[in-house]
Amino acid sequence: MEKYVINGGVKLRGEVVISGAKNAAVAILPATILANGPCIIENIPNISDVSVIIKILSEMGADIRVINKNTLEIDTTHITLPEVPYEKARQMRASSYFLGALLGRFRESKVALPGGCDFGVRPIDQHIKCFKALGAECDLQFGMIQLKAKELNGTHLYFDVVTVGGTINAMLASVLANGQTIIENAAKEPHIVDLANFLNSMGADIMGAGTDVIKIRGVKTLHGTSYSIIPDQIEAGTYMVAAAASQGDVLIKNIIPKHLESITSKLEKIGVTVIEYDDSIRVIGNRPLLKANIKTMPHPGFPTDMQPQISVLLCLCEGTSIVTEGIWDNRFKYVDELRRLGADISVDGRVAIIEGIKKFTSAPVKATDLRAGAALVIAALAAEGETVIEDIYHIERGYEDIVLKLRRLGADIKKIVTPDSVLEQVL
Ligand code: EPZ
């Protein structure tokens, strides 16, 4: 068992360097399947979700050479079976990207229904709608989705909801299709643009990524490339909120300030000082902080993946704040854990009402998903006393070296690993 032990009350100070974006990496790595030659990918975050993708590629027969901790050379030329091993696929949401990438290259794919963080129902009907529109037949049997197409032909597609995963799969499945595909009501997140830039660097013809309408002209082949993944907007936002909650003064480096605008503007509204530079941002936590209302929206709105973290900060603001979750049905599960630390939050469906408190107090808590776990870490850093956080594997799915990075900022955080054999003797 692994847990974090955090002694709160330290004001975070110093510099932190942001890693590559998880949600770009988990799309770009499967996209290497479409390349006719090796790809060198830099700035890959060293996190467990990425390790799962790399293991899947390796088990499928890709040649993977480690150049350094964050750079890999991936050659998928020798993959012959368009099928993803069942157990690994169901561990994460992004395994669905193998459906699009394998379909694009082999005109068929077989992947288990994806897993991932549990925020209620997570359908993939829009992905399937897109594959079918391109000409694939879709079958679901024994927990596996199977796609088969005689040929893939460009199509005009309108997504019923703005979907990040659906937009990514649509790009993966159509870059090698015949003719032009138009995706309307496309997602506009920075990782959508990053995937399009990666595919274009392999010879794809994608225009409009980052707007509502993406146009993809199919090409015959894609070649290998060298590419560096963008910095992680959500990791950066998490450290911004941690700096603010701990009343610290932190320079967050290797970021794209434009990607953080919705977070920056909310922090400023609350009373936090944010100073932007070309590729870094300084956050100074002040008191008192003022209440704010936040609704999560698709990009460029306030990101749902920052909702638990900003809610922790709103707990420390004076007055009553209202947080409305605009993307997921059930993303307030962590509130029960936050209440153990003294939060005063009531939840009604997709709305949370947060009453400001003076400070958090410590207690043993459990991470319920990735960003919920990050939120608990922030609360623990700002709390009085020692907080123990269990189920930290959720956090390590998406934050590279979080303990090391926080320790360098002065935080009193330790990771305790108890070998299973010791636990068995005790239990
Ligand atoms: C991506 O999930 C991210 N995951 C999530 O981040 C993030 O919360 C989410 O986008 C929204 O920004 C990855 O990139 C790996 P969606 P995804 O398809 O693609 C509905 C994190 O913390 N929908 O944009 O699964 C769906 O129910 C993770 O890093 C359909 O109805 O999200 C939701 O309400 C957690 N039908 C909305 O659309 C579909 O076919 C947005 O989902 C697909 C989605």
Side-chain angles (χ1 to χ4, degrees):
M1 193 185 57
E2 297 180 337
K3 59 189 179 189
Y4 293 155
V5 178
I6 299 174
N7 273 294
V10 177
K11 296 181 177 182
L12 299 183
R13 281 182 195 284
E15 298 180 354
V16 62
V17 179
I18 296 307
S19 301
K22 169 180 91 82
N23 289 344
V26 296
I28 285 173
L29 293 171
T32 60
I33 287 174
L34 295 161
N36 214 344
C39 296
I40 294 177
I41 322 270
E42 295 170 12
N43 208 27
I44 302 174
N46 195 353
I47 50 176
S48 65
D49 265 13
V50 162
S51 307
V52 174
I53 297 270
I54 293 167
K55 279 186 199 135
I56 290 175
L57 283 167
S58 165
E59 280 181 33
M60 290 173 76
D63 297 314
I64 297 179
R65 193 163 68 87
V66 178
I67 296 177
N68 62 46
K69 183 181 163 215
N70 300 105
T71 308
L72 295 176
E73 184 183 67
I74 302 175
D75 186 350
T76 58
T77 319
H78 297 117
I79 293 181
T80 49
L81 189 66
E83 187 172 331
V84 174
Y86 186 87
E87 268 315 310
K88 295 226 164 46
R90 58 193 286 256
Q91 287 174 25
M92 61 187 309
R93 184 70 180 171
S95 56
S96 67
Y97 299 153
F98 284 96
L99 278 171
L102 290 168
L103 181 69
R105 170 159 158 194
F106 294 100
R107 302 306 195 235
E108 62 176 295
S109 56
K110 196 172 173 189
V111 180
L113 272 172
C117 290
D118 176 10
F119 323 125
V121 186
R122 296 189 71 176
I124 55 164
D125 57 300
Q126 298 301 304
H127 305 226
I128 303 293
K129 170 174 150 173
C130 161
F131 299 140
K132 285 184 172 167
L134 287 164
E137 281 177 18
C138 175
D139 197 22
L140 174 64
Q141 268 190 346
F142 310 113
M144 304 286 283
I145 303 169
Q146 190 158 11
L147 303 173
K148 263 192 188 160
K150 285 202 181 67
E151 52 181 30
L152 293 172
N153 292 310
T155 184
H156 194 134
L157 193 77
Y158 188 94
F159 279 126
D160 301 337
V161 290
V162 178
T163 155
V164 169
T167 305
I168 286 176
N169 253 333
M171 289 196 283
L172 294 172
S174 62
V175 272
L176 292 174
N178 308 317
Q180 179 171 262
T181 297
I182 298 177
I183 309 167
E184 293 207 52
N185 201 22
K188 301 187 282 251
E189 271 65 5
H191 32 288
I192 302 283
V193 180
D194 208 33
L195 175 67
N197 288 341
F198 172 68
L199 291 168
N200 282 343
S201 77
M202 291 172 18
D205 185 352
I206 304 176
M207 286 191 316
T211 74
D212 292 328
V213 184
I214 303 179
K215 288 188 183 156
I216 303 153
R217 270 199 223 113
V219 293
K220 289 272 172 274
T221 57
L222 294 172
H223 50 76
T225 186
S226 288
Y227 193 80
S228 183
I229 292 173
I230 52 164
D232 196 306
Q233 161 210 20
I234 304 300
E235 190 198 14
T238 302
Y239 282 99
M240 289 170 79
V241 173
S246 71
Q247 298 186 60
D249 181 350
V250 177
L251 184 68
I252 297 155
K253 295 169 81 171
N254 184 37
I255 53 127
I256 300 174
K258 180 98 190 124
H259 294 171
L260 298 169
E261 272 174 354
S262 61
I263 302 166
T264 301
S265 87
K266 277 296 168 195
L267 288 180
E268 285 178 333
K269 183 156 191 292
I270 290 168
V272 177
T273 303
V274 183
I275 306 162
E276 274 184 22
Y277 303 100
D278 286 349
D279 60 358
S280 60
I281 206 159
R282 182 174 167 200
V283 177
I284 305 168
N286 309 310
R287 290 294 184 275
L289 295 173
L290 300 173
K291 70 183 174 75
N293 295 340
I294 291 179
K295 179 168 184 184
T296 65
M297 310 267 277
H299 191 82
F302 192 89
T304 173
D305 295 343
M306 281 299 298
Q307 183 258 98
Q309 302 91 310
I310 199 84
S311 296
V312 165
L313 188 61
L314 293 175
C315 287
L316 299 171
C317 292
E318 285 180 2
T320 307
S321 301
I322 298 176
V323 175
T324 307
E325 172 55 46
I327 309 290
W328 300 109
D329 284 336
N330 194 1
R331 204 172 189 171
F332 285 115
K333 279 188 178 168
Y334 66 91
V335 164
D336 281 342
E337 296 302 300
L338 215 48
R339 283 199 193 106
R340 294 179 203 277
L341 301 179
D344 181 354
I345 307 180
S346 53
V347 176
D348 185 4
R350 284 180 170 217
V351 179
I353 298 172
I354 302 176
E355 302 292 347
I357 54 169
K358 283 265 169 296
K359 55 171 64 168
F360 290 106
T361 46
S362 56
V365 287
K366 284 188 180 176
T368 50
D369 65 61
L370 166 60
R371 308 301 172 187
L376 290 174
V377 170
I378 296 170
L381 290 169
E384 208 164 59
E386 182 181 278
T387 299
V388 176
I389 305 180
E390 289 184 4
D391 292 350
I392 57 168
Y393 62 90
H394 286 295
I395 302 170
E396 297 188 350
R397 284 184 42 209
Y399 289 90
E400 178 171 349
D401 291 337
I402 186 169
V403 172
L404 187 67
K405 289 184 184 185
L406 286 171
R407 284 178 71 87
R408 285 194 182 139
L409 293 173
D412 183 349
I413 174 171
K414 281 187 296 232
K415 177 172 171 177
I416 309 281
V417 181
T418 313
D420 289 344
S421 55
V422 174
L423 284 176
E424 277 159 22
Q425 284 167 24
V426 179
L427 296 172

